[in-house]
Amino acid sequence: MRYTSIITLVILASTTLSSAQFDDMGLSQSCMDEAQKLIGSQEINACIPISSLASLFTGSQKGDKEAVMKTVADSICSLPKCSDSLIASTQKDFRAACQQDLKANNDVVTLIDVAISLYSPSRDSMCFKNSTDGYCLIESYTAAKQIFDNAPKDQSPILTFVGAPKEQVCTPCNKAIANTFNNYQKQHPEAFTDIKDYNDKDVENAKSALTGKCGESFL
Ligand SMILES: *[C@@H]1O[C@H](CO)[C@@H](O)[C@H](O)[C@H]1NC(C)=O
């Protein structure tokens, strides 16, 4: 379920950005300035509503994760998708300003960098709806949570996944999301290999587990 966890990155990154408490995070001045610039950018807020998400999260964060995901998805999916060129220039500026922080493996900066790299497939996946007009993201998250909650704690995610019921794994939502990431990876392999914890073998294993379980035409 690596795919599902990647999607939640976007939510986490917006939350982190919108909490705007960079003072405590040990960021370099240039990186902090760049983060403030991102939050205030009209161009970015036209496609990722960072400032309106900020007002969501500055109060006490009520509601369960599913409710938070729905609010975030509603606000992101109601706006047009950011252009590839805006994302590319944003990432270039961010990496330049936060070079030192990335080198030092600062968690927040690394998270934001991954979220920018995977913005396109994550945004698409976040906005898919199922047959009853619910968000696929939430359907898949709920199913994955159930699968992993019921698995032995030390079992490998791949094994857990292979052992899960087909009806929970081979859903139209999971198919749409898995193919979105798979296609993006084919077109932009560097978006994945740039990620520090990325493991090609894990992803290949997950793909074979998926097609083994759901059939070759699933991916
Ligand atoms: C569609 O997704 C929602 C969550 O967004 C879920 O509650 C609902 O059960 C899903 N519908 C189907 C048919 O799986």
Side-chain angles (χ1 to χ4, degrees):
M1 280 291 131
R2 187 168 281 261
Y3 287 128
T4 312
S5 62
I6 283 173
I7 299 164
T8 58
L9 275 178
V10 171
I11 298 181
L12 277 174
S14 330
T15 315
T16 308
L17 266 179
S18 58
S19 73
Q21 284 173 346
F22 297 111
D23 299 356
D24 305 333
M25 292 176 185
L27 302 190
S28 67
Q29 189 62 46
S30 63
C31 189
M32 215 146 43
D33 292 346
E34 184 62 28
Q36 299 290 3
K37 204 182 97 194
L38 274 179
I39 295 171
S41 157
Q42 275 189 15
E43 230 183 335
I44 292 180
N45 277 281
C47 51
I48 307 172
I50 301 178
S51 20
S52 66
L53 289 177
S55 58
L56 270 178
F57 291 111
T58 42
S60 57
Q61 204 168 313
K62 279 205 211 96
D64 50 15
K65 274 218 180 89
E66 285 84 348
V68 173
M69 282 190 208
K70 182 173 183 320
T71 311
V72 173
D74 277 343
S75 71
I76 289 178
C77 302
S78 67
L79 296 176
K81 191 175 169 179
C82 303
S83 69
D84 291 348
S85 62
L86 175 62
I87 295 298
S89 65
T90 301
Q91 182 149 51
K92 190 161 161 271
D93 292 349
F94 183 76
R95 284 184 174 167
C98 301
Q99 199 174 20
Q100 185 184 325
D101 313 73
L102 283 167
K103 230 182 233 148
N105 291 326
N106 180 290
D107 287 341
V108 175
V109 174
T110 305
L111 176 70
I112 295 172
D113 188 53
V114 172
I116 298 174
S117 292
L118 299 179
Y119 165 76
S120 174
S122 303
R123 197 273 183 196
D124 290 346
S125 298
M126 181 180 277
C127 302
F128 289 140
K129 295 267 187 86
N130 64 17
S131 59
T132 53
D133 207 36
Y135 285 109
C136 276
L137 173 70
I138 299 173
E139 184 198 299
S140 298
Y141 168 81
T142 313
K145 204 163 136 244
Q146 232 174 42
I147 292 172
F148 284 98
D149 283 354
N150 294 331
K153 287 289 155 258
D154 47 357
Q155 183 169 290
S156 96
I158 303 274
L159 270 183
T160 303
F161 180 67
V162 170
K166 226 172 151 168
E167 317 80 75
Q168 274 185 320
V169 176
C170 311
T171 61
C173 275
N174 284 345
K175 182 174 163 69
I177 293 171
N179 279 284
T180 299
F181 278 94
N182 193 34
N183 291 336
Y184 197 76
Q185 190 192 16
K186 280 188 209 148
Q187 288 154 13
H188 306 274
E190 75 294 342
F192 290 79
T193 46
D194 277 358
I195 299 171
K196 189 166 56 82
D197 290 331
Y198 175 78
N199 184 332
D200 205 41
K201 203 152 174 267
D202 281 354
V203 173
E204 288 312 314
N205 283 341
K207 281 191 205 170
S208 347
L210 204 52
T211 48
K213 191 167 201 77
C214 306
E216 286 301 323
S217 63
F218 195 77
L219 266 183

